[in-house]
Amino acid sequence: MEAERQALIAALAWQVAMGADEAIMPLALDRAAARPVPPPSPPARPPSAPLAAPPPAAPVQEEAASLAAGADSLEALREAMARFTGSPLRETATNMVFADGVVGAPVMVVGEAPGAEEDRLGRPFVGASGRLLDRMFASIGLGREESLYITNILPYRPPGNRTPTDAELNLFLPFVLRHVALARPRFLVLAGGVAAKGLLRQREGITRLRGRWHQVSLFDGQVIPALPTLHPAYLLRNPLAKRDAWADLLLLRRSIEDGENVANGQGRD
């Protein structure tokens, strides 16, 4: 191959040396002949009709608010939430987690979102964090069998137990506010930063919000005292934080004993 290449180069060099300055085609080019006429261009296609505008996005927030407002009992609210199809979380969850405990209890606990065990059983606060929650409230004389009503701010488990997004919290907010209005507790306990953020509409973290009373305003004008505290799952990972949770429980116990006169911000020095 290399020998052939060198032979071609040598032949070309010899032709250049002999004065050749252009390549000759086998047939002579007739420069006087008429040039072929190019075929006519196809007719231009008429402009296509504009694409139809997509239908407007389903107003799922309005649907959630309408369903929540139309529920006149806890059972009706449960059925309304089961009918609501506006959240993708419904498609990935195993069960809707509505509530547990005693209807009409003086204390309502609002957690974050179901975990794997809650999703499987359809009950809030089961598993290790649920058992710790039960022990925490039992230490001040409260229990889900007689004096607690428990729910979550989201009824469906986010995939992989991820933190709920702001959009998911806003979507289900009408349901949880209606849930509180129908349960009519004297006090709310917001377990964890997600529940506190969703219901108090504040950006502060749970460590800054906990330890004092806040207020949750409902659509009908009711105002419920709300005490943010640390989530039991966080306490399982950070046992030293149980001291702060214990202080929150003592504040709740004192407020129950003193009556309903809980002012906004009372509790922390």
Side-chain angles (χ1 to χ4, degrees), residues 45 72 116 132 134 168 216 257:
R45 300 176 60 183
D72 57 2
L132 177 57
D134 289 341
E168 290 165 346
V216 170
E257 293 172 349

Side-chain angles (χ1 to χ4, degrees), residues 187-188 211-215 225-227 251-252 255 262-266:
F187 303 99
L188 282 173
R212 55 192 168 96
W213 286 102
H214 300 257
Q215 294 180 339
L227 179 65
L251 174 59
L252 173 63
S255 300
V262 179
N264 188 22
Q266 177 180 325

Side-chain angles (χ1 to χ4, degrees), residues 89 111-115 153-154 156-170 172 191-198 203 206 231 233-234 237:
L89 296 180
E112 297 185 352
I153 198 166
L154 291 187
Y156 296 110
R157 179 196 181 201
N161 287 347
R162 64 166 170 75
T163 301
T165 66
D166 288 350
E168 290 165 346
L169 296 179
N170 290 332
F172 283 100
V194 172
K197 174 184 174 183
R203 289 291 177 182
I206 186 62
H231 195 282
Y234 176 82
R237 298 191 301 270

Side-chain angles (χ1 to χ4, degrees), residues 5-244:
R5 177 172 173 274
Q6 292 300 326
L8 291 173
I9 293 176
L12 181 60
W14 181 82
Q15 291 180 11
V16 171
M18 292 297 103
D21 57 0
E22 66 176 341
I24 303 297
M25 300 295 292
L27 297 177
L29 180 64
D30 185 1
R31 299 182 184 279
R35 295 185 177 181
V37 178
S41 302
R45 300 176 60 183
S48 58
L51 296 175
V60 290
Q61 288 84 1
E62 294 180 8
E63 180 188 0
S66 176
L67 287 171
D72 57 2
S73 67
L74 289 173
E75 189 56 37
L77 181 66
R78 180 200 294 268
E79 294 175 358
M81 292 172 66
R83 291 199 310 272
F84 179 61
T85 60
S87 172
L89 296 180
R90 172 194 169 101
E91 307 305 322
T92 56
T94 303
N95 287 301
M96 186 184 80
V97 179
F98 185 71
D100 194 18
V102 179
V103 175
V107 177
M108 181 174 181
V109 179
V110 181
E112 297 185 352
E117 197 70 2
E118 287 84 0
D119 178 53
R120 186 176 67 84
L121 298 177
R123 293 178 58 205
F125 282 101
V126 294
S129 62
R131 290 190 291 273
L132 177 57
L133 180 110
D134 289 341
R135 291 198 299 272
M136 290 167 57
F137 280 94
S139 68
I140 59 169
L142 300 177
R144 68 173 81 194
E145 304 299 330
E146 65 280 346
S147 48
L148 284 180
Y149 186 68
I150 303 172
T151 189
N152 283 313
I153 198 166
L154 291 187
Y156 296 110
R157 179 196 181 201
N161 287 347
R162 64 166 170 75
T163 301
T165 66
D166 288 350
E168 290 165 346
L169 296 179
N170 290 332
L171 182 60
F172 283 100
L173 186 61
F175 288 117
V176 72
L177 290 177
R178 187 61 178 157
H179 203 157
V180 174
L182 293 170
R184 303 184 65 83
R186 289 170 55 195
F187 303 99
L188 282 173
V189 174
L190 309 180
V194 172
K197 174 184 174 183
L199 285 174
L200 299 179
R201 317 305 293 167
Q202 295 194 25
R203 289 291 177 182
E204 288 184 292
I206 186 62
T207 56
R208 296 181 64 85
L209 291 172
R210 58 149 296 275
R212 55 192 168 96
W213 286 102
H214 300 257
Q215 294 180 339
V216 170
S217 298
L218 307 181
F219 292 132
D220 61 0
Q222 291 186 72
V223 177
I224 308 293
L227 179 65
T229 190
L230 303 171
H231 195 282
Y234 176 82
L235 298 176
L236 289 173
R237 298 191 301 270
N238 302 275
L240 293 179
K242 291 180 179 178
R243 180 180 58 183
D244 293 335

